[in-house]
Amino acid sequence: PVDRHQINLSASRRTQRVRFNQLLPYRYYFSRYTIQEGNPLLRPNYSNHLNLTYLLMKKYSLSLNYVWSNNGIESYNRTTTIGDQQLTSSTYIDGVKARYFNLNAYIPVKISTKWSMTNQFRLSNNRFHTSETHVRTFSWSMYTQQTIILPWDIRFQLLYRYNSKSRSAYGKSDDYHVLNTSWLKTFMGDRLTCKLSIDDWFWAQKPKDIVNNSSIYQESRMYGRQMPSFSLSVTYTISKGKQTKHADIEKSNSTEKERAM
């Protein structure tokens, strides 16, 4: 039946425009030994997208994506001499031939009336080809969002994400974890909302490493050495007209997550 099984096939061509700061030829010093500069010779990149999606019971989704382009833009490091001092210059380069093949799964699960979860998985097989490198890489990632209704109708939410090691045309990154939590309570017919959030529980992870070519090594800190962040927010909603139900909002959020993956 159509309401149980759906198959969608789409094709598109997209434009990746060059950002303004990537074009500026000016040099900015990050430290005594590293600088950032733009590349005014960058050209836009045009990418082609093919997507095949299977949707079961309007809930579970499995999709295959294939993307190819011949002028991808990548971050690039090189050695620059200013005066008599050698510096590491971080800039941008185009002309990257990229091929991306991704398999995505979206699986919502309702364990009970007070416990539900949303799970997403991605497998990626990517290829990059430039005048200097020829890279083929396999990576995977997972995402889960757990929602539990606690006593006194407090909504607890846990978000966990894992990304495996990955590579691009001129770089590579270590695997990393993300863990965020929040507690939410509504009052006065859902008009008043109080939310406590604690993000970045894995704040002490090692920095992400990037190698841009065979002779330049750059360390880029993704996490920093700070404690997890705490935030408390209180909101009050004043509205007129038709009220949107919470179930409709969750369905909309699930659709957006599926499209993002």
Side-chain angles (χ1 to χ4, degrees), residues 49-79:
H49 299 249
L50 285 178
N51 175 263
L52 178 64
T53 301
Y54 170 66
L55 187 62
L56 176 63
M57 300 171 58
K58 298 183 179 180
K59 292 174 56 179
Y60 310 100
S61 173
L62 183 67
S63 64
L64 291 172
N65 301 284
Y66 183 63
V67 181
W68 71 94
S69 66
N70 294 323
N71 191 50
I73 301 172
E74 291 277 350
S75 178
Y76 183 79
N77 279 8
R78 63 188 179 190
T79 301

Side-chain angles (χ1 to χ4, degrees), residues 19 21-22 36-37 39 42 73-76 91-93:
R19 297 195 303 269
N21 65 305
Q22 293 177 326
Q36 171 76 48
E37 60 180 327
N39 181 358
L42 293 178
I73 301 172
E74 291 277 350
S75 178
Y76 183 79
T91 185
Y92 304 93
I93 192 171

Side-chain angles (χ1 to χ4, degrees), residues 20-35:
F20 181 71
N21 65 305
Q22 293 177 326
L23 293 171
L24 291 176
Y26 303 110
R27 292 170 172 171
Y28 303 91
Y29 280 80
F30 284 149
S31 70
R32 293 176 57 188
Y33 309 103
T34 59
I35 60 175

Side-chain angles (χ1 to χ4, degrees), residues 74-193:
E74 291 277 350
S75 178
Y76 183 79
N77 279 8
R78 63 188 179 190
T79 301
T80 300
T81 301
I82 299 179
D84 57 351
Q85 185 180 22
Q86 284 193 337
L87 303 173
T88 299
S89 174
S90 178
T91 185
Y92 304 93
I93 192 171
D94 60 10
V96 178
K97 294 183 179 181
R99 305 291 183 266
Y100 304 93
F101 183 80
N102 302 317
L103 173 64
N104 308 300
Y106 174 79
I107 308 173
V109 179
K110 189 171 184 178
I111 299 178
S112 68
T113 57
K114 295 184 178 295
W115 184 7
S116 62
M117 65 178 71
T118 299
N119 305 298
Q120 295 177 327
F121 303 91
R122 166 177 284 189
L123 301 177
S124 300
N125 187 8
N126 305 326
R127 290 186 293 128
F128 306 93
H129 184 77
T130 72
S131 59
E132 299 175 305
T133 62
H134 190 187
V135 176
R136 185 164 191 163
T137 177
F138 174 82
S139 61
W140 68 281
S141 63
M142 65 164 292
Y143 165 94
T144 182
Q145 179 177 292
Q146 309 280 330
T147 302
I148 302 174
I149 306 300
L150 300 175
W152 301 293
D153 200 28
I154 297 175
R155 180 181 295 268
F156 170 73
Q157 193 169 81
L158 181 147
L159 184 150
Y160 171 76
R161 183 187 299 275
Y162 172 78
N163 282 41
S164 70
K165 292 183 178 181
S166 62
R167 297 191 63 182
S168 62
Y170 293 104
K172 65 179 182 180
S173 63
D174 288 340
D175 59 331
Y176 64 95
H177 308 260
V178 175
L179 179 63
N180 300 332
T181 55
S182 66
W183 293 261
L184 184 145
K185 172 66 176 174
T186 60
F187 305 90
M188 303 172 63
D190 295 340
R191 290 180 179 273
L192 179 64
T193 302

Side-chain angles (χ1 to χ4, degrees), residues 176-238:
Y176 64 95
H177 308 260
V178 175
L179 179 63
N180 300 332
T181 55
S182 66
W183 293 261
L184 184 145
K185 172 66 176 174
T186 60
F187 305 90
M188 303 172 63
D190 295 340
R191 290 180 179 273
L192 179 64
T193 302
C194 298
K195 183 177 182 180
L196 171 65
S197 300
I198 305 177
D199 297 333
D200 301 324
W201 282 94
F202 297 126
W203 59 277
Q205 293 182 93
K206 293 182 179 179
K208 170 182 172 182
D209 299 331
I210 299 177
V211 178
N212 282 10
N213 55 41
S214 59
S215 59
I216 298 297
Y217 173 84
Q218 176 188 359
E219 182 179 86
S220 176
R221 294 184 177 273
M222 292 186 63
Y223 308 99
R225 295 295 174 177
Q226 299 178 357
M227 293 293 289
S229 61
F230 294 75
S231 64
L232 176 63
S233 61
V234 179
T235 59
Y236 182 79
T237 303
I238 300 176

